Amino acid sequence: MAELVKSLLLEKSEEFALRIVRLYQYLQDKGERVMSKQVLRSGTSIGANITEGHYGASKADFINKYAIAEKEAAETRYWLNLLIRSGYLSEDVATQSLVSDCSELIRLLAASIKTAKRRTED
C-alpha cells in the first residue's frame, strides 16, 4: 500500500509540476514576473522533494523531505490564491482544478507523513 501511495504522489506531483510550468509560461506572456516565479519555484519543488524522500537514506529523511514537500504545496496554494485575487488568474474551471490538485497533494502528503511517523514509533 505504501508503494502505491508513493507512486501516486510521484505521478500526481509530476503532472502538477507540468501544469505549473505551463501556468508560468502563461503568466510570463501576460507580463507577470514576480508571483509567476514564486509559483514556479514552489510548485515544481513539491515533486522534487517527494522524489528525494522516496530515495531517502532513512525514515527520518523520508519524513523530512515529505514535510518540506507539504510546505511547498501550501506555499503554492497561497500563490495560486494570490494570483486569483490579484486578477492574473480567473476563477475558471482550469484554475480551480489547479487549486484542488494542490490541496489534494497536501492531503496525500499529510497522510503519508502521518503513516511514516506511526510506523517509526512501532
Side-chain angles (χ1 to χ4, degrees), residues 12-115:
K12 285 186 174 289
S13 65
E14 186 173 308
E15 288 301 316
F16 183 77
L18 290 170
R19 291 177 69 197
I20 289 293
V21 168
R22 288 191 289 274
L23 173 63
Y24 171 77
Q25 293 166 336
Y26 167 78
L27 291 168
Q28 289 289 297
D29 290 346
K30 287 185 78 170
E32 202 304 305
R33 302 284 185 253
V34 176
M35 290 183 287
S36 62
K37 287 181 184 176
Q38 293 287 15
V39 77
L40 176 68
R41 184 199 57 75
S42 62
T44 56
S45 178
I46 299 164
N49 280 291
I50 290 169
T51 300
E52 284 186 51
H54 187 69
Y55 294 99
S58 66
K59 187 69 76 174
D61 191 25
F62 170 87
I63 292 168
N64 181 54
K65 293 299 182 186
Y66 270 48
I68 293 169
E70 183 181 26
K71 290 176 186 177
E72 293 292 339
E75 180 182 341
T76 301
R77 188 169 55 188
Y78 168 81
W79 290 117
L80 290 171
N81 287 330
L82 196 57
L83 285 162
I84 293 166
R85 293 186 68 197
S86 65
Y88 281 102
L89 294 177
S90 63
E91 291 193 58
D92 61 8
V93 173
T95 301
Q96 290 307 316
S97 173
L98 262 176
V99 174
S100 177
D101 287 351
C102 190
S103 295
E104 180 184 18
L105 284 170
I106 292 169
R107 285 190 302 275
L108 289 169
L109 285 160
S112 293
I113 292 166
K114 185 177 178 180
T115 300

